[in-house]
Amino acid sequence: MAGAEAEPGAEAEAEAEAGAGGGGLERVNPAHLAPPTGFSHAVRAAPGTLVFLAGQTALDGSGRIVGDGIVEQFERALTNLLDVAAASGAGPSDLAKLTVFAVDVADYRLHAREIGRVWKRLAGSDYPAMAVIGATRLWDETALVEIEGIAVVR
C-alpha cells in the first residue's frame, strides 16, 4: 500500500514465504495475506531476458479452435503458450506473469480444480503471478479462453 508503514518483520516474513523457482525467479507469498491457490502474489525476477508471450487460444495447427469446453480449451491454449515459450528458450518455471482472459469467468471458476490439474500436469507446481479477466469475446469468436504471459530467461 502506498504511504502505509510496513509492520516490523513484514519484509522478512515475505522473504521466508518466498518459494524459489527456476530461471532466477522467486515466488513471494507473504504469510499475512490469504494463501494463494493456483497463483503467486508476486514473482521477483533476477536479471535476465524478458520474453513477452502473445495471447494464445485453443488454435490447432490449421487455425481452428479445438475443444468443446473451458478445460479442453485451457489445456490447448496453455500447450500453445508453453510451445511458444520453449521456442523462445523459456520453460514453465520461467513464467513470471500470466493473464488469462475468459469469456465466462463463472464457468472458469466452476472448473478451477480441473484447470488446476491441467496446469500441474503441463507446467508443474511453480505458479506465476496470475490474473483471470472476464472478456465479452476474444479475437477467435469460438475461443473461450486466451492466455498471455511474460517469462524471464537467463
Side-chain angles (χ1 to χ4, degrees), residues 22 25 27 82 85-86 90-96 119 122-128 151:
L25 298 181
R27 275 80 175 150
L82 292 173
S93 64
D94 298 317
L95 295 171
W119 175 270
L122 297 178
S125 59
D126 287 329
Y127 293 105

Side-chain angles (χ1 to χ4, degrees), residues 1-153:
M1 268 188 278
E5 286 188 38
E7 292 182 32
E11 186 175 316
E13 182 178 305
E15 293 296 324
E17 291 297 315
L25 298 181
E26 179 184 12
R27 275 80 175 150
V28 181
N29 295 301
H32 68 279
L33 295 179
T37 303
F39 70 98
S40 291
H41 284 293
V43 177
R44 183 179 10 224
T49 300
L50 292 175
V51 179
F52 297 90
L53 303 164
Q56 299 295 318
T57 59
L59 286 176
D60 66 9
S62 67
R64 292 178 313 186
I65 296 290
V66 295
D68 294 326
I70 189 80
V71 177
E72 296 86 5
Q73 286 201 19
F74 179 87
E75 181 169 354
R76 183 57 185 245
L78 181 59
T79 298
N80 290 346
L81 183 93
L82 292 173
D83 287 349
V84 171
S88 302
S93 64
D94 298 317
L95 295 171
K97 172 76 173 103
L98 288 184
T99 305
V100 177
F101 299 93
V103 296
D104 187 344
V105 175
D107 189 40
Y108 186 95
R109 218 180 289 132
L110 180 68
H111 293 92
R113 287 191 188 276
E114 295 166 87
I115 289 168
R117 285 192 290 272
V118 168
W119 175 270
K120 283 189 177 191
R121 182 169 39 83
L122 297 178
S125 59
D126 287 329
Y127 293 105
M130 189 181 293
V132 176
I133 298 173
T136 55
R137 72 169 282 255
L138 301 169
W139 182 262
D140 298 298
E141 291 184 19
T142 57
L144 301 174
V145 64
E146 183 169 335
I147 308 169
E148 69 175 17
I150 300 171
V152 180
V153 293

